[in-house]
Amino acid sequence: MRVRPLLALTAAGAALVAVAPQAGAASAQAAPLPTCRPSAVEVGARADAREKTVVRITVTNKGRHTCAVDRLPTVTFGELDGAAQHVPPGESGPYRLETGETAYATVRTVGAPGDEVRRVGGVTVAGDPSHHGRTFSARELGAGRYVEVWEPVSSWWKGSARAADAAVGVGRG
């Protein structure tokens, strides 16, 4: 007769144990990282010395705390509508930047040699779409008097310049 109460107690105990990890997991989830403040990040951009239609961009966390930018950099061209498309296409999401860490992206401003082009005086780069970004003149980029643009593509933020180059099919010769 004592077996039944023991079985009932064992079943109740097992039910509690089965529920406990789920409750603990929900409370153990980390809070989402805050978006980096515009004042906490430094954006850089430079045209390739040999191939002016390749621009390498960076974002560096100069703040005192780890934060996030969007994993898809925002790159716009002068007064033209639209922004560089991302390779591969993807959705927005956080890209974690530790204090002092730099992320890299590569932009091809012209899809293929011989393509029709538009000429603009500069490029604006933002680490996150919520930031106004920084505008770099063609001369600041090292691209000459203007930047040629036609069907531009950009990598996602990457941990190295080499990985960013590879993402858009650019070699570092």
Side-chain angles (χ1 to χ4, degrees), residues 89-166:
E91 299 289 324
S92 290
Y95 184 93
R96 180 185 186 97
L97 277 177
E98 301 285 338
T99 300
E101 184 178 20
T102 298
Y104 305 84
T106 299
V107 180
R108 273 191 297 115
T109 64
V110 176
D115 274 355
E116 175 182 345
V117 296
R118 300 286 183 262
R119 293 183 172 115
V120 297
V123 174
T124 301
V125 178
D128 191 88
S130 66
H131 301 174
H132 288 295
R134 178 175 169 201
T135 300
F136 298 87
S137 71
R139 290 194 192 283
E140 286 176 295
L141 291 171
R145 293 187 318 157
Y146 52 82
V147 176
E148 292 183 341
V149 182
W150 191 258
E151 298 182 355
V153 295
S154 170
S155 69
W156 296 19
W157 291 118
K158 302 286 184 181
S160 73
R162 187 173 304 277
D165 282 359

Side-chain angles (χ1 to χ4, degrees), residues 34-45 57-61 67-76 86 92-97 103-105 124-136 154-158:
T35 299
C36 297
R37 293 182 179 168
S39 61
V41 295
E42 180 177 277
V43 178
I57 61 176
T58 58
V59 61
T60 302
N61 181 355
C67 57
V69 293
D70 195 296
R71 68 179 166 200
L72 306 173
T74 303
V75 184
T76 57
H86 296 99
S92 290
Y95 184 93
R96 180 185 186 97
L97 277 177
Y104 305 84
T124 301
V125 178
D128 191 88
S130 66
H131 301 174
H132 288 295
R134 178 175 169 201
T135 300
F136 298 87
S154 170
S155 69
W156 296 19
W157 291 118
K158 302 286 184 181

